[in-house]
Amino acid sequence: MSGKLDTQHENAAQATIRIGDDDLFVDIGKGHKPFIIAELSGNHSQDFALAKKMVHEAAKAGAHAIKLQTYTASSMTLDLDSGDFVIQEKDSLWAGEKLFDLYGKASTPYEWHAELFALANSLGMLAFSSPFDEDAVDFLTSLNVPCFKIASFELTDIPLIRKVAKQGKPMIMSTGMATISEIEEAVKTAKSGGCEQIILLKCTSTYPALPENTNLATIPNMRTTFDCQVGLSDHTAGIGVSVASVAFGASVIEKHFVLSRDAGGVDAEFSMEPNELAQLVSETERVHQAMGKVTYGGSQAEEKSKQYRRSIYICKPIKAGETLSREHVKIVRPAHGLAPKHLDTVVGSIAKEDMHIGTPLSWALISTQGS
C-alpha cells in the first residue's frame, strides 16, 4: 500500500477523539495524556465480588477506563475436543486446554456487565468491552457503551467490524498479527460503515509477549500509513515497554489487570498488579509531559541556571595600568564575567583600574591591545 489510506482524512492522526459524554469523557490524542485501560479479561475467575474489587482497585490506581470481554464459550468456538479445538502449543499458558472449556472459564457473565460498568462510572472511569460476535455488539449497544474494542484475533472478522461501525461510536482495534493489507481492510470497513474515530493498537499476540517481539518502531509508521491515532496493547511483563511507547506517540495503552499474580487468573502471568498500574499511569504521564517540542538554548525554567556557567574572573590582584597575564585570570563559575572564549583577547590587555581577587572581568575594566 502506498500513500495515505484515504486522503480525505489526512489529519485524522492529529485529531482529538472524545470517548464518553458530557458527564464523563476522556479526550485522546496529541496534547492529551495517554489513555490507560485496565483490561479485566478473565482474571476475575468468575467471582463477581472479585471483579468488583478489581474495578475499585483500578480506579484507585488511576486507570482511565476498565475493559471487559463480551462472549460466551459457544459464541467463541465449538464444543469439541478434537485436535483443532484443543490448544496444541507446548509453550502456551493453556497447553492441552479444550478451547470451549477455556473460554467458559475466562468469560465474563453478561449479567455482570451493567453493574460493573455503572461501578466504574461512579468511580470516574469509562467502561466498555470487546464484543466477539454480532449479538454481543447488540448487547453492549443496549448498555450504551462509549466505544467498542476489536480484539486482535477478530481484526479479520469483517462482518463484526461492519456491525460495530454502524453503532456510531469510536472504535479501538488491536492489530496483532495483521498484515498491512488486513489492517487496511479493517480500517476501510470501519470508515465505510460510518466510523471515523478509529484508534489502532500495536499489539503482539503472544501471551506473555517478549520485549524483543514488540517492535515499538511500528507505532509512528502505523500512524502515518493509516492516518489514525495509534496506541499499544501490551502483553509484556512490567511497565517499561508501555512507558517507552509514549515516546513513540502511543495515545492509548491497554494492559491486563489482576489483583495478585500469585492468586492466579487465566491471564495473571502477563497482567499488572495495582501498584504497577499506578506506576504505569504516573510514568506514562511523565513521559507525555517530557516530550514537548524541539528546543535549543534552554527552557525558560533553565534561565537562572545560566549564571552557573563559567566565565573569566580576576584571581590575582592587579593595579591600574598593569598588563593582565594568564596568572591574573581564571575561568571559573559563575558566569558574571566575560565568556571563556575571550581568554586569548583578555591576556595581554591593560587594566583600566585596580581589580581584586573575585572581580568578574568585563570589557569596561580593560583596554585591549590595539584599541
Side-chain angles (χ1 to χ4, degrees), residues 350-370:
I350 306 300
K352 290 183 175 180
E353 58 185 72
D354 294 350
M355 289 180 277
H356 56 76
I357 296 174
T359 301
L361 204 58
S362 68
W363 296 121
L365 295 175
I366 58 174
S367 174
T368 59
Q369 290 182 348

Side-chain angles (χ1 to χ4, degrees), residues 53-371:
K53 187 173 182 182
M54 290 174 73
V55 174
H56 276 284
E57 290 300 319
K60 284 171 60 178
H64 307 125
I66 59 114
K67 191 184 81 67
L68 307 181
Q69 296 179 356
T70 306
Y71 62 82
T72 63
S74 59
S75 72
M76 289 291 276
T77 190
L78 301 177
D79 188 6
L80 297 173
D81 55 9
S82 58
D84 287 349
F85 296 90
V86 175
I87 296 176
Q88 304 294 333
E89 292 87 353
K90 301 298 184 184
D91 59 349
S92 170
L93 294 177
W94 312 290
E97 285 259 22
K98 179 180 170 183
L99 287 177
F100 190 89
D101 292 343
L102 177 62
Y103 294 133
K105 289 189 295 185
S107 63
T108 300
Y110 277 38
E111 58 269 24
W112 291 7
H113 282 58
E115 189 170 341
L116 291 178
F117 287 171
L119 175 60
N121 293 164
S122 72
L123 296 170
M125 293 187 295
L126 296 176
F128 57 99
S129 187
S130 295
F132 287 80
D133 69 308
E134 295 191 25
D135 289 340
V137 176
D138 290 334
F139 171 69
L140 292 172
T141 298
S142 74
L143 297 179
N144 195 31
V145 291
C147 64
F148 289 88
K149 164 74 191 299
I150 301 296
S152 60
F153 288 83
E154 274 59 45
L155 192 74
T156 56
D157 189 343
I158 297 304
L160 177 64
I161 293 174
R162 187 180 299 120
K163 171 84 170 182
V164 169
K166 291 177 180 177
Q167 308 311 308
K169 300 291 178 71
M171 192 186 312
I172 302 170
M173 297 193 284
S174 280
T175 56
M177 312 137 284
T179 63
I180 288 180
S181 62
E182 287 171 336
I183 300 172
E184 178 182 15
E185 185 175 17
V187 171
K188 281 188 171 180
T189 298
K191 289 185 175 181
S192 64
C195 180
E196 295 290 343
Q197 295 186 303
I198 299 168
I199 300 170
L200 299 176
L201 300 187
K202 174 69 181 75
C203 174
T204 303
S205 297
T206 55
Y207 307 89
L210 298 176
E212 56 263 39
N213 294 329
T214 302
N215 298 309
L216 293 180
T218 309
I219 290 174
N221 180 271
M222 187 180 289
R223 185 173 57 249
T224 300
T225 301
F226 299 102
D227 191 31
C228 292
Q229 287 194 38
V230 178
L232 177 70
S233 179
D234 183 16
H235 303 132
T236 63
I239 67 170
V241 169
S242 286
V243 171
S245 75
V246 178
F248 284 89
S251 58
V252 175
I253 295 171
E254 175 190 77
K255 275 191 75 87
H256 287 238
F257 181 61
V258 70
L259 294 186
S260 169
R261 282 188 291 273
D262 293 338
V266 291
D267 297 339
E269 185 171 331
F270 55 91
S271 297
M272 290 183 301
E273 294 180 345
N275 66 315
E276 293 168 316
L277 177 56
Q279 290 173 350
L280 177 66
V281 172
S282 63
E283 292 304 313
T284 51
E285 185 170 352
R286 196 187 306 271
V287 174
H288 166 69
Q289 292 169 340
M291 290 300 293
K293 59 186 177 182
V294 176
T295 303
Y296 293 97
S299 64
Q300 188 63 37
E302 294 171 278
E303 200 60 35
K304 290 182 179 179
S305 296
K306 288 182 178 179
Q307 66 180 305
Y308 297 111
R309 287 173 163 178
R310 288 179 175 262
S311 68
I312 303 173
Y313 272 78
I314 295 295
C315 64
K316 180 180 178 181
I318 188 169
K319 297 290 186 180
E322 292 184 350
T323 300
L324 276 77
S325 70
R326 187 66 179 83
E327 292 181 353
H328 291 107
V329 292
K330 189 173 184 180
I331 296 172
V332 295
R333 295 183 182 185
H336 300 301
L338 293 174
K341 66 182 180 181
H342 298 301
L343 180 64
D344 291 344
T345 302
V346 165
V347 173
S349 65
I350 306 300
K352 290 183 175 180
E353 58 185 72
D354 294 350
M355 289 180 277
H356 56 76
I357 296 174
T359 301
L361 204 58
S362 68
W363 296 121
L365 295 175
I366 58 174
S367 174
T368 59
Q369 290 182 348
S371 60

